[in-house]
């Protein structure tokens, strides 16, 4: 596919025409590829160890997956405010690049312990916490870089391309890692070490970032943390967007229990687990590819809310399915709906946030995403212990729909959002 021609005013008409953006895109792809693949394998390995080595029942092992989600969320909860300030005070390339190198060390540790057969629940929990600690510094720094290297009018398209990188990594990572794990349990971790190294090199190769404007009167880190939360709280639209994602996905997430479905309900093993995670990403990638070339332009708020309702409905379908192909279809629809919601929310949040607080707002948004994912895994594990895996997923999908309807009423600003419009100078 050829790149678009420059716009009539001589500027780029596509983010892909910007060399620094292409480096950013590659770094994002490598980082997501490593992270999604690693998270899937840690979850499956922990569930398998709980069932095989510790003799736990399906319910008990499912609860261990919930604890794993909580272990990954705890460092995110504690360090996210710090990560946001770091992204607004220091060179974002160096922050993201250094964090990626530390994540490479975590992958090497997992590869070594797996090769030496030192597998146990405490070991896996420890590395999950370490992975969460370094990952929290990657997300806000990388998220805040794109608006610095892409003109405001191209930000919606850049977010579409960002999503392609994310979903491509999410498709390839879990599927490839599942097959690699079946071949040799340590192989996925060795690959993650290579991918995180590639992410670090790519992000630090970006040549130009504008200096971050700083107010000396508000330079104290604690004051900056408070300022970031105060800004989000004062912007009802941002607050509504971030909390909608938090509560809808927190209650509606089905990914935490995928190892249960793969191993004991659908009987497809680690290879099937990889395909299930890939199906979600495939649905999202198709939509992301479409939106990167034909971004939404009207009634974006209503479309975002409708997409979250569709996400909940697809989650219910996955929970009830006992046919592998039908489950894959439901997961693909789930991913497609989630992509529409993420595309709209991310575009609006970026365009309505000034650069001086973008790192902190990105960190707060990332905290909500992590809470909805990792803490949602804890919720799913706890619900599965009470309702079973099927009951937990169906309950979660239904709750996501209820939350969306409630937010549409509590935050009319979401319904009224018509177009993507920059409120701040980028």
């Amino acid at each position: 596919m050829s790149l678009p021609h420059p716009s009539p005013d001589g500027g780029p008409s596509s983010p892909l025409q910007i060399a620094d953006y292409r480096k950013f895109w590659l770094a994002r792809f490598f980082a997501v590829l490593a992270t999604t693949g690693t998270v899937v394998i840690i979850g499956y390995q922990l569930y398998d160890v709980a069932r095989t080595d510790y003799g736990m029942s399906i319910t008990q092992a499912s609860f261990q997956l919930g604890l794993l989600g909580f272990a990954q969320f705890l460092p995110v909860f504690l360090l996210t405010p710090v990560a946001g300030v770091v992204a607004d005070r220091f060179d974002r390339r160096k922050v993201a690049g250094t964090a990626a190198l530390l994540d490479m060390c975590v992958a090497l540790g997992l590869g070594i312990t797996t090769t030496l057969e030192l597998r146990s629940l405490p070991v896996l929990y420890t590395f999950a916490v370490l992975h969460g600690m370094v990952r929290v510094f990657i997300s806000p720094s990388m998220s805040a870089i794109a608006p610095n290297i892409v003109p405001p009018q191209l930000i919606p398209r850049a977010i579409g391309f960002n999503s392609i990188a994310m979903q491509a990594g999410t498709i390839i990572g879990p599927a490839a890692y599942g097959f690699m794990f079946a071949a040799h349990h340590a192989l996925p971790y060795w690959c993650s070490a290579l991918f995180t190294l590639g992410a670090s090199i790519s992000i630090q190769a970006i040549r130009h970032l504008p200096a971050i404007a700083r107010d000396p009167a508000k330079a104290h880190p604690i004051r900056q943390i408070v300022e970031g939360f105060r800004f989000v709280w004062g912007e009802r639209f941002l607050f509504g967007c971030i909390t909608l994602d938090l509560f809808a996905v927190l209650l509606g997430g089905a990914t935490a229990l995928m190892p249960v479905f793969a191993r004991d309900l659908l009987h497809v093993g680690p290879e099937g687990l990889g395909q299930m995670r890939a199906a979600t990403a495939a649905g999202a990638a198709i939509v992301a590819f479409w939106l990167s070339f034909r971004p939404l332009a009207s009634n974006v708020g209503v479309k975002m809310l409708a997409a979250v309702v569709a996400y909940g409905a697809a989650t219910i379908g996955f929970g009830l399915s006992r046919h592998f192909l039908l489950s894959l279809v439901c997961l693909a629809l789930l991913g497609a709906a989630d992509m529409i919601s993420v595309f709209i929310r991310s575009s609006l949040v970026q365009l309505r946030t000034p650069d001086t607080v973008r790192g902190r707002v990105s960190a707060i948004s990332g905290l909500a995403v992590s809470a909805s994912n990792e803490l949602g895994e804890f919720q799913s594990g706890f619900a599965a212990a009470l309702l079973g895996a099927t009951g937990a997923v169906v309950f979660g999908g239904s709750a996501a729909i209820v939350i969306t309807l409630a937010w549409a009423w509590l935050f009319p600003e979401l319904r009224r959002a018509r177009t993507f419009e920059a409120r701040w100078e980028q």
Side-chain angles (χ1 to χ4, degrees):
M1 179 181 297
S2 61
L3 296 179
H5 297 292
S7 59
D9 62 2
S13 61
S14 168
L16 295 178
Q17 292 175 323
I18 303 171
D20 282 340
Y21 178 78
R22 295 196 295 271
K23 298 171 187 175
F24 168 82
W25 191 95
L26 188 63
R28 186 178 182 89
F29 171 71
F30 281 146
V32 173
L33 181 67
T35 295
T36 56
T38 298
V39 168
V40 168
I41 295 305
I42 289 178
Y44 188 87
Q45 192 172 20
L46 183 138
Y47 183 76
D48 187 58
V49 167
R51 293 277 284 139
T52 304
D53 295 0
Y54 289 77
M56 293 185 182
S57 66
I58 294 177
T59 299
Q60 292 170 327
S62 298
F63 185 68
Q64 292 298 317
L65 289 174
L67 293 178
L68 177 64
F70 182 77
Q72 292 175 309
F73 169 73
L74 189 59
V76 174
F77 175 76
L78 296 175
L79 295 176
T80 287
V82 178
V85 171
V86 169
D88 281 338
R89 288 174 66 93
F90 302 101
D91 189 326
R92 290 161 179 166
R93 296 168 298 183
K94 294 180 180 178
V95 174
T98 301
L101 287 178
L102 293 174
D103 207 16
M104 178 189 71
C105 295
V106 173
L108 290 173
L110 281 164
I112 292 170
T113 54
T114 301
T115 299
L116 298 178
E117 298 186 354
L118 300 176
R119 67 182 208 168
S120 68
L121 294 183
V123 167
L124 292 172
Y125 279 126
T126 298
F127 279 110
V129 170
L130 292 174
H131 179 61
M133 290 176 65
V134 297
R135 189 178 60 176
V136 72
F137 287 91
I138 298 177
S139 180
S141 297
M142 290 193 69
S143 296
I145 285 175
N148 293 146
I149 57 180
V150 175
Q153 67 273 17
L154 294 181
I155 285 180
R157 295 191 69 184
I159 289 175
F161 284 117
N162 293 351
S163 298
I164 291 176
M166 182 177 70
Q167 300 306 333
T170 307
I171 292 170
I172 298 170
Y177 278 43
F179 285 106
M180 285 190 287
F181 183 79
H184 190 282
H185 288 183
L187 183 57
Y189 300 128
W190 302 131
C191 289
S192 283
L194 290 176
F195 293 139
T196 48
L197 176 61
S200 179
I201 293 173
S202 297
I203 202 68
Q204 295 189 72
I206 293 175
R207 293 177 296 176
H208 173 71
L209 282 184
I212 302 171
R214 295 183 176 88
D215 183 353
K218 297 182 179 180
H220 194 281
I222 300 298
R223 185 176 296 179
Q224 285 191 310
I225 292 173
V226 174
E227 185 184 62
F229 280 99
R230 185 179 297 158
F231 178 82
V232 173
W233 177 263
E235 293 285 331
R236 277 184 55 85
F237 181 85
L238 294 180
F239 185 72
C241 280
I242 291 172
T243 53
L244 172 63
D245 183 78
L246 168 63
F247 291 109
V249 181
L250 172 67
L251 295 172
T255 57
L257 297 176
M258 280 189 186
V260 182
F261 282 80
R263 188 184 191 277
D264 293 313
L265 298 180
L266 297 174
H267 306 290
V268 291
E271 298 93 338
L273 174 63
Q275 294 174 51
M276 290 163 65
R277 292 295 295 259
T280 304
I286 293 171
V287 172
F289 183 80
W290 175 263
L291 292 175
S292 64
F293 290 98
R294 304 182 70 89
L296 300 173
S298 62
N299 297 321
V300 293
V302 172
K303 291 174 181 176
M304 177 178 68
L305 294 169
V308 181
V309 170
Y311 169 88
T315 300
I316 294 173
F318 168 73
L320 295 175
S321 171
R322 287 298 177 270
H323 298 281
F324 185 53
L325 290 179
L326 177 59
S327 296
L328 293 180
V329 170
C330 290
L331 291 172
L333 293 174
L334 183 154
D338 187 49
M339 184 67 256
I340 295 173
S341 172
V342 168
F343 173 83
I344 297 173
R345 177 175 54 81
S346 298
S347 298
L348 291 172
V349 168
Q350 294 282 14
L351 290 168
R352 299 189 180 208
T353 303
D355 189 57
T356 51
V357 295
R358 184 172 286 124
R360 280 162 284 173
V361 172
S362 295
I364 293 169
S365 179
L367 175 61
V369 171
S370 295
S372 61
N373 291 331
E374 279 82 12
L375 200 57
E377 292 179 6
F378 175 73
Q379 180 275 141
S380 296
F382 181 76
L386 297 177
L387 306 173
T390 298
V393 173
V394 171
F395 168 79
S398 302
I401 295 174
V402 173
I403 287 291
T404 305
L405 297 177
W407 254 237
W409 176 69
L410 291 172
F411 296 92
E413 297 88 349
L414 301 181
R415 303 195 313 269
R416 295 169 186 164
R418 295 289 183 260
T419 61
F420 296 120
E421 179 183 359
R423 287 188 52 190
W424 306 90
E425 182 180 353
Q426 303 301 314

